[in-house]
Amino acid sequence: MGQSSNFGGKVTGAVAQAPTFADRFSAARPGGVTTSLPPGAGEAVATGAAGGAQAAVAGRTRAANFQREIFPLQQAIPALERLGVKGSGPGTDTINNMKSFVLSNVPGVKESDFNGTVKDYDKAKKYLTDFVNQTGNSGTNDKLAAAFAGNPSVGISNAAAVDVAKSALSLRRMQQANIQEFERLNLPPSSYSQWLTKRSGEMDPRAFGVDMMSPEAKSKLSEQLKKSKVERDRFEKSLEIAHSLGFITPSGQ
């Protein structure tokens, strides 16, 4: 008893086991169950990780130079604002050169005779040029202020130059906040590119420049944010980050 007997090649007395899921899955796939990545997939993963690590190194290097990068903008913006609407823009370079010639060659003429415009013009031009030379294209975000045709310079209208310079500074603050957050999370460098892609979609660079906006600009922005809860939530989250990292001082402090 308890033993199976063999009659005509058939096994009797033993209980046949039902096929497992793996058996059925393998039968449905003649090649069996795939246990390795497709050809080239491993190399692609390794390449992506290496690229992320390189981007992290570049981000850290730029983060270390943050103050040096933004210094030209911090100097140029107030100089542009002092120049006023007609102080910079197409043709003003020639006018400023004439003023400089008079100051240098006509006895008795002083800088104050031109309301300080020569000094401010030269200062704005120098620092905006320094910023462009050290950073390349400013990469201003299309949601920032009014003008995004190119890099800030004294060759475009004064209002546009001020807006572009402020936009560039706002964006640079946000970039700095991103690398600081990545470092705080202590994530592997290989994940930096993927993390940054996701993070960028969650941030609003306007929040990092709200301290430089005029009352009219703030009011206009507030009206825009009321139209979209998603956009408003993104802005508020970004503003909180800007406050916590010290880029923006909360009202009343």
Side-chain angles (χ1 to χ4, degrees):
M1 293 184 63
Q3 295 183 350
S4 63
S5 58
N6 193 331
F7 294 96
K10 296 182 179 180
V11 178
T12 62
V15 179
Q17 294 183 347
T20 64
F21 171 79
D23 294 332
R24 293 194 299 271
F25 189 73
S26 297
R29 294 172 56 87
V33 180
T34 301
T35 58
S36 61
L37 294 173
E43 290 82 353
V45 172
T47 300
Q54 291 174 358
V57 171
R60 287 166 175 165
T61 300
R62 195 174 187 196
N65 294 325
F66 175 66
Q67 293 298 334
R68 181 175 64 82
E69 279 192 18
I70 67 171
F71 179 77
L73 292 175
Q74 292 174 323
Q75 301 301 309
I77 290 171
L80 285 169
E81 291 178 327
R82 286 192 297 269
L83 285 172
V85 176
K86 297 182 179 180
S88 63
T92 54
D93 199 41
T94 299
I95 295 174
N96 197 72
N97 286 337
M98 293 174 61
K99 292 179 179 178
S100 295
F101 177 84
V102 171
L103 278 172
S104 301
N105 294 277
V106 178
V109 178
K110 303 182 296 296
E111 171 72 24
S112 57
D113 294 331
F114 297 112
N115 297 319
T117 56
V118 176
K119 179 180 179 181
D120 283 330
Y121 188 94
D122 288 342
K123 185 175 184 179
K125 183 176 182 179
K126 174 188 182 303
Y127 282 116
L128 290 177
T129 301
D130 287 349
F131 173 75
V132 173
N133 286 341
Q134 73 179 12
T135 63
N137 191 305
S138 63
T140 47
N141 184 284
D142 60 1
K143 285 186 175 180
L144 291 178
F148 310 105
N151 289 305
S153 74
V154 292
I156 59 178
S157 71
N158 182 267
V162 172
D163 284 342
V164 174
K166 289 180 178 180
S167 298
L169 180 55
S170 301
L171 187 62
R172 188 64 190 87
R173 286 172 172 177
M174 187 186 76
Q175 293 168 338
Q176 185 72 4
N178 285 340
I179 189 64
Q180 287 182 229
E181 175 64 7
F182 182 77
E183 297 289 29
R184 186 189 70 80
L185 294 173
N186 198 30
L187 297 171
S190 58
S191 68
Y192 179 69
S193 293
Q194 184 177 9
W195 178 87
L196 185 60
T197 299
K198 180 178 183 297
R199 167 83 167 187
S200 297
E202 300 171 347
M203 301 290 280
D204 189 334
R206 294 174 296 183
F208 290 83
V210 71
D211 61 319
M212 297 181 285
M213 292 182 184
S214 65
E216 293 77 13
K218 289 181 181 179
S219 177
K220 182 178 179 180
L221 176 59
S222 178
E223 290 302 315
Q224 291 175 344
L225 294 175
K226 290 178 181 178
K227 299 176 182 179
S228 171
K229 183 179 185 305
V230 173
E231 194 169 350
R232 184 171 64 253
D233 289 346
R234 183 184 300 118
F235 179 86
E236 290 177 352
K237 175 185 175 182
S238 301
L239 186 61
E240 183 178 351
I241 293 172
H243 286 165
S244 66
L245 295 178
F247 293 116
I248 304 294
T249 301
S251 299
Q253 295 186 10

